[in-house]
Amino acid sequence: MKSFNDREGVVITATELKQNLGKYMDYVEQQNDVVITKNGNKIARLTPYVTDIEQYFTVRENALDYQYGGKKVSYEEFMEIYEKSTLRMELINGEIYLLSSPSMGHQEILGRLYLIFNEYFKDKKCRVFLAPFDVHFKKQEIKEPDVMQPDLLVACDLENNVTEKGKYMGTPTLVIEILSDSTRTKDMVDKLNTYRLSGVQEYWIIDQRQENIMIYGFFDYEIDRYKTFEKGDVAKSFVFTGLSADIESLFKELVPVPGI
């Protein structure tokens, strides 16, 4: 075995690998690299297997973006990780968040909302989309965009904002998030700020636990209006006249979830 340097691990010949395969597999398993040479030229490398999230933390340690006060993943680094991954994830303020599978109640509410919104926007310019649907939110005076997947969104700027690969690069007019215990703080604080700073006009927060809808209206990157709609109310959009959702009907006879 010939030592090389810490970055490359060890350098060995192809013959030595054939003769001592088990030995070098053990070496790689201990998170070391093995570079193989043939006729004096490097031809291959054995490296430890890492999962997508392990790769993320490796990249994160080497990230140079300190915009939010700590080591962060840049937008470019996130996109490189995301494009090679099969995981659903979001980038918010330089942090990667893995998205878990939604609950049955979450999906029932989402389906009911989609039917309401799709009917309202039928034959209109704006289009309704469901998650998973990536949106690149460009925040005011902040260089690094966030990449998020709102549960439901209304896009009215599709013209000139769809790439040749069918990727949406505009800013939704309205977004909806359905809260879960794991996303409550993120949806009510971090995402609210991203939507506000990126030019979204209206944000609906659906709370299955409280059986209510909170609607924020944004103007000039600030919260302009806010209202909570409870059972017995009809939640009404600030931006789209006539767009509404009956609170009782939205939460009626959902699949029961322990603790909710």
Side-chain angles (χ1 to χ4, degrees):
M1 182 188 301
K2 177 184 177 183
S3 296
F4 195 76
N5 58 48
D6 290 338
R7 184 174 180 180
E8 283 201 331
V10 297
V11 179
I12 62 173
T13 65
T15 299
E16 189 171 359
L17 176 66
K18 293 177 183 178
Q19 294 174 344
N20 299 281
L21 179 60
K23 173 182 176 180
Y24 292 116
M25 291 297 289
D26 290 341
Y27 186 75
V28 171
E29 190 176 11
Q30 295 172 12
Q31 302 300 305
N32 298 299
D33 285 1
V34 176
V35 176
I36 301 112
T37 65
K38 186 175 182 180
N39 298 324
N41 297 315
K42 297 174 186 175
I43 61 169
R45 179 195 297 269
L46 295 178
T47 61
Y49 173 78
V50 294
T51 63
D52 293 313
I53 192 62
E54 288 171 336
Q55 177 66 21
Y56 154 58
F57 283 114
T58 300
V59 172
R60 181 180 175 185
E61 284 300 312
N62 295 322
L64 300 178
D65 179 8
Y66 292 85
Q67 183 171 358
Y68 294 90
K71 289 185 178 180
K72 303 288 182 178
V73 173
S74 71
Y75 173 76
E76 289 76 16
E77 289 170 329
F78 170 78
M79 292 307 299
E80 183 178 354
I81 294 169
Y82 185 69
E83 289 171 2
K84 295 178 180 178
S85 174
T86 58
L87 301 174
R88 289 182 60 212
M89 58 183 74
E90 295 179 314
L91 177 70
I92 307 175
N93 295 344
E95 294 283 347
I96 292 179
Y97 294 86
L98 298 182
L99 302 179
S100 59
S101 297
S103 68
M104 290 186 290
H106 178 286
Q107 293 303 89
E108 282 192 292
I109 293 170
L110 182 58
R112 294 173 185 181
L113 285 169
Y114 179 77
L115 291 176
I116 293 170
F117 276 65
N118 195 55
E119 178 63 25
Y120 176 87
F121 287 103
K122 184 172 60 178
D123 300 325
K124 293 183 173 65
K125 174 184 175 182
C126 304
R127 302 289 292 272
V128 184
F129 297 95
L130 297 169
F133 187 92
D134 294 329
V135 182
H136 302 246
F137 291 95
K138 304 173 184 66
K139 297 175 288 184
Q140 182 192 36
E141 298 180 357
I142 296 177
K143 178 182 177 182
E144 296 287 298
D146 287 348
V147 182
M148 303 193 299
Q149 296 183 1
D151 287 319
L152 184 147
L153 65 91
V154 177
C156 301
D157 61 349
L158 293 176
E159 187 175 358
N160 300 321
N161 280 313
V162 179
T163 69
E164 293 180 354
K165 295 183 178 180
K167 302 293 185 181
Y168 174 63
M169 300 303 292
T171 299
T173 301
L174 184 152
V175 293
I176 292 179
E177 297 287 0
I178 302 170
L179 298 181
S180 65
D181 288 342
S182 62
T183 68
R184 181 173 294 268
T185 299
K186 179 179 66 171
D187 291 344
M188 297 184 71
V189 179
D190 298 324
K191 286 195 171 185
L192 185 149
N193 283 327
T194 290
Y195 295 146
R196 174 178 64 86
L197 291 172
S198 62
V200 170
Q201 295 182 39
E202 187 165 302
Y203 178 30
W204 291 33
I205 300 177
I206 314 298
D207 192 336
Q208 182 180 352
R209 183 180 294 278
Q210 301 297 328
E211 294 192 349
N212 64 29
I213 297 178
M214 295 163 275
I215 299 183
Y216 288 85
F218 304 123
F219 178 76
D220 198 20
Y221 305 103
E222 296 293 341
I223 296 174
D224 181 55
R225 287 177 286 181
Y226 164 76
K227 187 171 182 178
T228 298
F229 297 89
E230 308 282 354
K231 186 176 288 188
D233 296 333
V234 175
K236 297 180 180 179
S237 169
F238 298 139
V239 175
F240 298 104
T241 302
L243 176 61
S244 63
D246 179 76
I247 300 297
E248 189 166 356
S249 297
L250 185 64
F251 295 105
K252 186 178 181 180
E253 296 179 353
L254 295 174
V255 173
V257 178
I260 294 181

